[in-house]
Amino acid sequence: MSDRKTVDPRIKLTLLPIVGFTSFFISDTILLFVLIVFAFFLYLYSGMWKRALRFILFFVLLYCIELGLGKFCEASIVFAIYMFIYFASRMTLIAMFGGYITKTTSVSEMLEALNRMKVPRSIGIPFSVLLRFVPTTKIELKALKENMKIRGIVTSRFFPLLHPIKYIEYTLVPLLMRMIKISDELSASALIRGLDSDENRVTLTELRFRTTDLMIGLLGALMIALVIVIQRIY
């Protein structure tokens, strides 16, 4: 993470909740493309444009489905699917920003940023655990899939589509058990490092608020304000 250009964690932590709130405040999904473009710029700045492109393609797919279902909302089942797609498109934007944070921010940087922002430790410690929990769960899920292939349970790529109930049973149950254990291990690791201590933390991580960070933060605030203004006008 240290070799990759990124934005100051304080900017990321400030933009994430604002973007999350704004995404659900905006009723017209097309306006979210403005925030998607800003998120793509962040990924591009950090050299992760391929990952951002996958998010954009998925968002475009959801938007196309939303447009198609919008003409048939009279039926209750179609309306339910439409609302699911509506919320999924907004969660995609939040996941895009959240993914950028997890990929470009170490736990030490996050804790130091939270400490400088005077965030209570009762919030900072769970947040630091969450930051490591998602990537660790992803690794566990990958290992679980490999294990199912070795045992001959999953015989093709289309197994989840052909046998969805079995796939959920074979994947979700052991994954939930591992997630419980992982959360306990990460919490214990955080406590062993003294994150719950009342003493001032000593860290080797040095955060520097650069001019580039300020410009990116202002650009993000400007684009969010632009989306809100357009929403209120139209």
Side-chain angles (χ1 to χ4, degrees):
M1 292 181 183
S2 58
D3 298 333
R4 178 179 287 155
K5 290 197 302 182
T6 183
V7 186
D8 189 280
R10 288 164 287 188
I11 296 293
K12 304 174 193 175
L13 291 174
T14 303
L15 289 177
L16 180 61
I18 298 176
V19 168
F21 175 79
T22 305
S23 63
F24 284 96
F25 173 77
I26 301 301
S27 59
D28 193 351
T29 306
I30 192 65
L31 291 177
L32 294 182
F33 273 105
V34 178
L35 300 180
I36 287 286
V37 170
F38 175 67
F40 178 77
F41 167 75
L42 293 178
Y43 276 84
L44 188 64
Y45 177 74
S46 299
M48 300 187 298
W49 63 272
K50 291 183 179 179
R51 184 179 179 86
L53 194 59
R54 290 196 293 266
F55 275 108
I56 292 177
L57 292 177
F58 184 68
F59 182 84
V60 171
L61 176 63
L62 291 177
Y63 180 66
C64 292
I65 297 175
E66 182 181 329
L67 287 179
L69 294 177
K71 302 177 181 179
F72 307 98
C73 283
E74 291 79 8
S76 58
I77 183 65
V78 176
F79 180 74
I81 298 175
Y82 174 83
M83 291 305 299
F84 175 78
I85 298 297
Y86 178 86
F87 284 106
S89 61
R90 278 135 184 86
M91 291 304 299
T92 301
L93 176 61
I94 298 174
M96 191 173 183
F97 273 88
Y100 178 77
I101 293 177
T102 57
K103 280 293 184 180
T104 59
T105 310
S106 65
V107 176
S108 299
E109 291 173 340
M110 184 62 65
L111 288 175
E112 181 63 15
L114 293 172
N115 185 45
R116 294 195 182 186
M117 295 172 70
K118 306 301 180 182
V119 175
R121 294 187 179 183
S122 58
I123 299 177
I125 294 177
F127 199 86
S128 64
V129 173
L130 178 63
L131 190 67
R132 290 300 309 145
F133 181 78
V134 176
T136 305
T137 304
K138 186 177 180 181
I139 295 174
E140 290 292 334
L141 182 59
K142 183 178 180 181
L144 186 61
K145 290 180 179 179
E146 292 293 333
N147 191 21
M148 287 192 294
K149 288 182 180 179
I150 293 174
R151 295 187 178 187
I153 298 175
V154 177
T155 55
S156 68
R157 295 182 178 180
F158 302 102
F159 183 84
L161 297 177
L162 298 176
H163 308 281
I165 304 299
K166 286 186 177 181
Y167 184 78
I168 292 175
E169 179 185 354
Y170 295 150
T171 304
L172 191 59
V173 175
L175 182 62
L176 287 175
M177 299 301 295
R178 282 295 301 158
M179 287 171 64
I180 295 174
K181 187 174 181 180
I182 290 171
S183 62
D184 292 338
E185 292 174 351
L186 291 177
S187 299
S189 175
L191 294 176
I192 290 174
R193 294 178 182 180
L195 297 183
D196 63 334
S197 175
D198 295 330
E199 302 295 331
N200 293 329
R201 293 182 65 253
V202 178
T203 178
L204 298 177
T205 303
E206 184 178 358
L207 298 181
R208 294 182 179 179
F209 199 83
R210 302 163 300 173
T211 306
T212 307
D213 299 323
L214 178 60
M215 293 177 62
I216 293 177
L218 291 176
L219 177 62
L222 178 63
M223 299 188 79
I224 292 172
L226 178 64
V227 169
I228 294 176
V229 169
I230 295 176
Q231 168 72 18
R232 293 183 66 87
I233 292 177
Y234 296 99

